[in-house]
Amino acid sequence: MDPDNAPHRPPASAGAGFTGRSRRRTTRRSVLIIDRLSRLFITVGGIGTILAVMGVGVFLVSVVLPLFFSADVEGEHDFAGPWTAQNPPLSFAVDEYRLLGWVIKTDGQIRAFRLDDGADVYEETLFEDGEVTVSSYLPTDNLVMFGLRDGSIQGVKIGFATEIVNADRVPAEIWSQLDVDGNPPVTYDRGVAQRTVQGQVRIQRLQVEPTRRLAFANGPIRALDHVVRSSGPLLVALAEHPAAPPAAAEDAAAGDAGATVGAEAEAAAAAAQDAAPTADAPPIAAAPTGPAPMRLALIVGEEDTNFLTGVSDLSYGEPIDLPYEGTLDDAADYLRLTGAGGDLYVAWQSGDVLRYNLDDVRDAFVAERGRLTPEGVGLSSIDFTLGNNTLIWGDERGRLRGGFTTRAEDYTGETNILTVAAPDRVLRVFVAAKELAAGGGDAVHALTSSTRSRLLLSGDAAGVVKMFNVTNASQLMRFDAVPGQAIRLLAMAPKEDGLALLTDDGVWVADLDPRYPEASFQGLFRPVWYEGYAEPENIWQSSSASDDFEPKLGLLPLIFGTLKATFYSMLFGAPLALLAAIFTSEFLHPRAKSVFKPTIELMASLPSVVLGFLAALVFAPVIEMIVPQTLALFITVPLAILFGAYVWQLLPARTTIRYRDYRIASVAGIALPLGVGAAFVVGPLLEGMLFSGDLKGWLAWDGDPTRADRFANATGGWMMLMLPLAALFVAWLRGKVVKPVLRRRGGGLDRRGFALLDLGAFAGSALAAFVLAFAFSAILNALGFDPRGSYVDTYSQRNALIVGVVMGFAIIPIIYTIAEDALSAVPSHLRSASLGAGATPWQTAVRIVIPTATSGLFSALMIGLGRAVGETMIVLMAAGNTPVMDLNIFEGFRTLSANIAVELPEAVRGSTHYRTLFLAALVLFVMTFIVNTVAEVVRLRFRKRTSQL
């Protein structure tokens, strides 16, 4: 180039641009400050978000972790006991504040003593006229029944009375001892006084109230038990009843319960043998003839309470004799009544046992007989847990087991260790469901259970104490309390914060912290054999109106419900959202897209509580009335839309080009109403053809043979599953086999002719799908398979179908938005290259755009999945809130989030229930964390692969 003609350029040092103004070579300080502040805020925000998420996890773990701490015992101390080997203790208990304990000896004396040093506080002789041979103590009702050597039975209410008084009502010398640090108790006024944190004085006294005495037999009472029902106590007693009875008498006065039976009353007692029975004092029945006879009988008590005065009057009916096979030399050692008095267990130390059915006390019979222990191993102890339904027994080798009765028609296992004695009358069978200790140790001598939970303490001949949670059959603790000494009696404080035991020499007391015995991996995540059930099950039932309720804290039904809700909502919402995103991104006019996309995104602003309200109170009742039509909608609407698309191809090319902008609106506007209308026509027809005209009746059929000719055919049920599978298979087969044939055969056809050929292929494919689904369904029905009880079963108004549809609409906006953004972000040059190579827009979308945007589409699905997993209000209002593990699409469920929302406000802070709900939150947190982590890993992998395109 000629230098003279070259364009003039300013020197570099001039710094002027083409505008004539010099360029600034440095960045303003304000821009740098804003940039650094922005970087700082973003960094702090990111780190803060990470710390917040980690903090949530740490907090949940800190609340949940104590659930799995071990039980603990501390503060052990012992002292000598007020008894001898010749006058041993029969019953033993401690008060709720662990200040006092009481013990009753065979001489009929009750003694109250302090639990800190063993000092005597109060004593009283209950029976001056007889020796106690056996006793039965019911801690939940503070009632002790005593069997005496003279054949009579005496009930005594023994409990602890608490009185709260102000400091000015106690003597100054007592207050001076109480007003010191540590609040040590002081013996005062036949009880123990202790200062409370409020500055008052709590006085704990033993309260003894005898009840009416009952003449039962002519000889000593050998075994005794009782339960307290709403109408009064129910007693069972086994006594010697010789033919020549000794003189006996009972107190005839209603108010003098502690009257003695002395020599001066012998004549009156003899005369009473011939007198007519009375409600208060039934006569002694004549003894059966033969050597050393025994009497086993039930006594029904009735307690009337004057609602004005609060005074109770206890009366007994005439004893009801039970069939009994034992003799004096082989008398039963244990009698145990279940809580409702429906069963009686009669056991021998040899291990033999009889179970009496007492559903009708006037017609009691031996229902089962057998052994509780292996042959040659003796029975050493037997007792009930809270509620008197689960029987616990220990043997001479240290084995500890438990069992209860369950409905015979439901039970199919092999743990019914007893043999049915009356097959035609037995409705319940006894099952040995609990294996608490495997054995291999010393004989179990003492058993006691908590009065507020399923905690059980056992003590053996070597001084070892074990604590169990009977529900989970788990051992919580084992420690050597009194090494080398046999434990005779055990007592647990009513608040489960202390325990005491008696040996031949004295008393051993300790503080107890059982932690959270109901929580264990077995109880939370595995099937548990609950009381009265026929087999182990996963159940969530955290509360009940009954005091002896057995908590069921299985989390699997809640996890299952969460997954079920997520599955059905994603099954409905994900395909619609993805297809809508593909259509919006690749086929919709930009002007229409600017309207439709914000409209769909606006759906996300609808509160979930509104959707739940509509689902529960509008959709659920309506759908319940048109179930067949609703199911038909999933068939007729897609077919109608596809049919409308094929009909559009039959129109002249000029017409389709001229009105192409209205293609979707016209097809959807005409086909959609036709599909809905067709569902209301086809639904009843399919119901009549496949379900005998009653779909809900078919679903609820329970195998009744009288209706088998109508509902036994299961073809219709299988069609619900086989039709979608057959449609997918036929669609795949059509793409791989039929379409290539159509291209070859239709090469010489014009546009209208090829459209007719394509429509015929579509109709044939639809018909083939129906025929294929019906054929497979008929084969499965012929083979005896029935889908009821799996993915279809009894219809409930609020069910997974309702939740799937409504929650599907809730997750559609977020999946749609993210998926559409991912598809729109695909570089346009890829589309241009594909279209330039001769591909159609559909081929470009399926083979180029979608594979490139796979990572974004996957992220959209995972975010929608997380939205569904954490949804609360919709499932709370529309899912029925029943924690059952059932695949049935017509049945409800309960999710983790809904369960937390329902029960956390009512849970006692710090309780097992409270912490278990936080464990449910932790499980939900972990589930979403795992899903999101996997999603991110997969997304990055897809992104790495697509970045190479």
Side-chain angles (χ1 to χ4, degrees):
M1 178 180 295
D2 187 358
D4 295 335
N5 296 328
H8 175 72
R9 295 178 180 175
S13 59
F18 68 93
T19 60
R21 301 179 62 182
S22 61
R23 295 179 59 189
R24 188 179 182 90
R25 299 297 184 181
T26 59
T27 305
R28 289 193 182 97
R29 183 179 298 274
S30 60
V31 175
L32 293 175
I33 293 175
I34 293 174
D35 182 64
R36 290 177 181 177
L37 289 176
S38 300
R39 184 179 302 174
L40 177 62
F41 290 153
I42 293 172
T43 303
V44 171
I47 295 175
T49 302
I50 296 173
L51 291 178
V53 174
M54 293 178 62
V56 171
V58 171
F59 173 73
L60 292 176
V61 171
S62 67
V63 177
V64 170
L65 198 58
L67 283 176
F68 304 99
F69 288 170
S70 301
D72 187 29
V73 168
E74 60 184 8
E76 305 97 323
H77 62 279
D78 57 358
F79 46 84
W83 56 81
T84 63
Q86 293 74 28
N87 189 18
L90 291 176
S91 297
F92 172 50
V94 299
D95 76 311
E96 63 177 322
Y97 300 106
R98 293 176 292 137
L99 300 175
L100 287 176
W102 62 257
V103 63
I104 294 178
K105 299 175 290 184
T106 56
D107 62 359
Q109 185 186 61
I110 180 171
R111 300 189 68 169
F113 53 89
R114 293 176 49 156
L115 291 178
D116 54 349
D117 56 10
D120 287 340
V121 174
Y122 170 78
E123 67 177 55
E124 178 182 348
T125 299
L126 299 176
F127 313 108
E128 298 287 354
D129 56 346
E131 178 185 353
V132 180
T133 57
V134 66
S135 67
S136 169
Y137 175 45
L138 201 61
T140 53
D141 289 280
N142 294 325
L143 180 62
V144 186
M145 302 302 297
F146 296 96
L148 305 180
R149 186 166 296 278
D150 63 7
S152 61
I153 299 173
Q154 173 75 62
V156 181
K157 292 185 177 180
I158 304 176
F160 296 96
T162 303
E163 181 183 4
I164 304 295
V165 300
N166 293 327
D168 56 3
R169 292 183 57 189
V170 298
E173 63 272 13
I174 298 298
W175 176 251
S176 63
Q177 299 178 58
L178 293 172
D179 193 18
V180 296
D181 294 337
N183 293 349
V186 176
T187 303
Y188 169 68
D189 191 18
R190 297 176 56 188
V192 175
Q194 188 178 38
R195 192 188 67 179
T196 67
V197 294
Q198 293 82 10
Q200 295 176 306
V201 177
R202 179 176 56 237
I203 304 174
Q204 195 79 354
R205 298 186 182 93
L206 185 66
Q207 190 174 48
V208 180
E209 181 184 350
T211 63
R212 188 182 306 276
R213 182 177 291 191
L214 168 70
F216 177 72
N218 298 324
I221 307 294
R222 299 288 296 269
L224 177 68
D225 194 31
H226 76 286
V227 294
V228 177
R229 304 181 298 180
S230 59
S231 59
L234 175 66
L235 286 72
V236 61
L238 175 68
E240 300 178 20
H241 201 41
E250 66 173 278
D251 177 26
D256 185 10
T260 62
V261 180
E264 67 273 14
E266 292 182 1
Q273 295 294 325
D274 299 326
T278 64
D280 292 341
I284 301 174
T289 59
M294 302 292 291
R295 185 185 192 191
L296 177 66
L298 291 170
I299 304 103
V300 179
E302 294 185 3
E303 186 172 13
D304 294 327
T305 302
N306 189 313
F307 71 94
L308 294 177
T309 63
V311 177
S312 298
D313 181 33
L314 177 63
S315 60
Y316 294 104
E318 183 179 354
I320 303 170
D321 289 294
L322 301 177
Y324 178 70
E325 304 171 359
T327 64
L328 182 62
D329 297 330
D330 188 27
D333 301 288
Y334 307 98
L335 301 180
R336 292 294 183 269
L337 282 167
T338 56
D343 290 298
L344 166 64
Y345 297 94
V346 180
W348 285 258
Q349 288 185 353
S350 62
D352 295 324
V353 66
L354 300 176
R355 183 179 72 83
Y356 287 78
N357 184 293
L358 305 181
D359 291 337
D360 182 357
V361 295
R362 299 289 177 181
D363 186 26
F365 62 93
V366 177
E368 294 179 287
R369 64 176 71 240
R371 291 186 60 85
L372 294 176
T373 60
E375 195 68 35
V377 179
L379 184 68
S380 58
S381 60
I382 188 169
D383 204 351
F384 278 111
T385 59
L386 177 65
N388 281 35
N389 288 312
T390 299
L391 187 71
I392 307 295
W393 66 92
D395 62 27
E396 295 174 344
R397 296 181 180 176
R399 188 181 188 186
L400 197 61
R401 304 184 72 187
F404 43 76
T405 57
T406 186
R407 293 179 57 183
E409 62 181 1
D410 296 336
Y411 180 72
T412 58
E414 299 179 354
T415 57
N416 48 331
I417 59 177
L418 306 184
T419 302
V420 176
D424 297 335
R425 304 180 64 186
V426 171
L427 300 178
R428 301 184 301 273
V429 294
F430 182 81
V431 294
K434 308 292 184 180
E435 183 76 30
L436 301 178
D442 296 280
V444 180
H445 281 177
L447 293 173
T448 188
S449 60
S450 169
T451 58
R452 61 190 304 177
S453 72
R454 289 306 196 276
L455 272 185
L456 177 77
L457 289 175
S458 72
D460 64 21
V464 176
V465 175
K466 299 177 182 178
M467 186 168 68
F468 304 90
N469 178 265
V470 178
T471 298
N472 303 329
S474 57
Q475 180 174 309
L476 307 176
M477 182 174 56
R478 180 189 185 279
F479 61 94
D480 295 326
V482 284
Q485 301 183 54
I487 298 174
R488 300 304 179 189
L489 291 174
L490 278 167
M492 188 186 304
K495 294 181 179 180
E496 297 182 347
D497 56 354
L499 64 91
L501 59 87
L502 306 186
T503 66
D504 292 332
D505 299 328
V507 183
W508 185 93
V509 182
D511 298 332
L512 173 66
D513 185 0
R515 304 288 185 179
Y516 303 94
E518 298 91 347
S520 67
F521 183 83
Q522 168 74 19
L524 293 169
F525 298 104
R526 297 184 63 186
V528 174
W529 204 332
Y530 294 107
E531 190 175 84
Y533 285 73
E535 60 183 357
E537 295 186 30
N538 290 295
I539 301 175
W540 175 272
Q541 187 181 359
S542 59
S543 61
S544 173
S546 174
D547 292 335
D548 58 2
F549 169 70
E550 184 177 33
K552 303 169 182 63
L553 301 178
L555 289 178
L556 282 185
L558 307 180
I559 297 174
F560 179 86
T562 302
L563 297 177
K564 183 178 180 180
T566 303
F567 171 77
Y568 282 115
S569 60
M570 292 293 290
L571 184 66
F572 179 82
L576 291 179
L578 291 179
L579 291 175
I582 294 171
F583 172 75
T584 303
S585 173
E586 303 303 315
F587 303 101
L588 192 63
H589 193 278
R591 184 179 300 172
K593 176 181 176 181
S594 64
V595 176
F596 283 110
K597 185 178 180 182
T599 302
I600 296 176
E601 291 174 344
L602 192 63
M603 291 171 54
S605 64
L606 190 64
S608 60
V609 66
V610 174
L611 291 175
F613 174 82
L614 293 174
L617 300 183
V618 179
F619 300 149
V622 171
I623 291 178
E624 185 182 22
M625 295 186 293
I626 54 170
V627 177
Q629 293 87 334
T630 302
L631 296 178
L633 282 172
F634 293 96
I635 302 174
T636 58
V637 170
L639 286 179
I641 293 176
L642 290 174
F643 179 77
Y646 282 104
V647 170
W648 179 267
Q649 296 180 6
L650 294 175
L651 299 177
R654 181 179 301 176
T655 302
T656 59
I657 295 173
R658 185 174 183 178
Y659 298 101
R660 63 182 178 182
D661 292 340
Y662 306 98
R663 175 183 56 183
I664 300 298
S666 59
V667 170
I670 298 175
L672 189 60
L674 289 176
V676 173
F680 281 84
V681 176
V682 174
L685 295 177
L686 292 178
E687 183 181 32
M689 294 171 55
L690 300 175
F691 304 103
S692 301
D694 186 1
L695 173 60
K696 288 191 285 188
W698 181 90
L699 291 170
W701 183 60
D702 56 358
D704 184 2
T706 60
R707 298 191 298 167
D709 56 340
R710 182 179 181 186
F711 295 133
N713 193 308
T715 303
W718 286 115
M719 282 286 289
M720 296 183 190
L721 177 65
M722 291 300 166
L723 187 57
L725 297 178
L728 291 175
F729 174 75
V730 170
W732 174 83
L733 191 65
R734 183 185 175 200
K736 291 294 184 180
V737 178
V738 178
K739 279 202 170 183
V741 175
L742 291 179
R743 292 192 186 98
R744 291 194 302 269
R745 299 289 180 87
L749 298 176
D750 58 5
R751 182 179 181 278
R752 184 179 180 84
F754 192 86
L756 287 172
L757 183 63
D758 204 15
L759 177 61
F762 165 72
S765 300
L767 181 62
F770 277 100
V771 172
L772 188 63
F774 183 82
F776 273 100
S777 300
I779 292 173
L780 290 174
N781 176 65
L783 293 176
F785 295 106
D786 195 326
R788 282 169 288 199
S790 57
Y791 62 90
V792 292
D793 209 344
T794 305
Y795 187 89
S796 299
Q797 186 185 82
R798 301 181 183 185
N799 52 54
L801 177 64
I802 303 296
V803 173
V805 172
V806 176
M807 200 155 73
F809 277 110
I811 65 174
I812 281 176
I814 189 170
I815 297 177
Y816 165 82
T817 299
I818 298 176
E820 201 282 329
D821 289 342
L823 292 168
S824 299
V826 175
S828 58
H829 67 268
L830 296 178
R831 294 184 179 85
S832 301
S834 175
L835 295 172
T840 64
W842 174 251
Q843 291 173 328
T844 300
V846 172
R847 300 181 183 181
I848 302 298
V849 178
I850 293 178
T852 305
T854 301
S855 62
L857 299 179
F858 189 79
S859 296
L861 289 175
M862 290 301 101
I863 293 175
L865 182 68
R867 167 77 168 82
V869 168
E871 175 56 44
T872 301
M873 293 310 300
I874 294 177
V875 293
L876 182 63
M877 302 178 71
N881 229 14
T882 52
V884 295
M885 296 183 64
D886 193 344
L887 290 172
N888 181 16
I889 191 174
F890 303 119
E891 182 60 82
F893 50 84
R894 179 182 289 191
T895 65
L896 289 166
S897 58
N899 189 68
I900 295 169
V902 169
E903 299 193 6
L904 190 59
E906 304 297 331
V908 178
R909 183 178 179 87
S911 64
T912 303
H913 181 207
Y914 177 86
R915 295 184 185 275
T916 304
L917 292 176
F918 273 85
L919 176 60
L922 181 62
V923 170
L924 189 61
F925 181 85
V926 171
M927 287 174 60
T928 55
F929 180 81
I930 292 175
V931 168
N932 290 335
T933 301
V934 173
E936 185 64 15
V937 171
V938 175
R939 188 187 70 83
L940 292 176
R941 182 176 178 85
F942 280 135
R943 185 176 181 179
K944 182 178 180 181
R945 294 178 59 183
T946 55
S947 63
Q948 302 172 359
L949 297 176

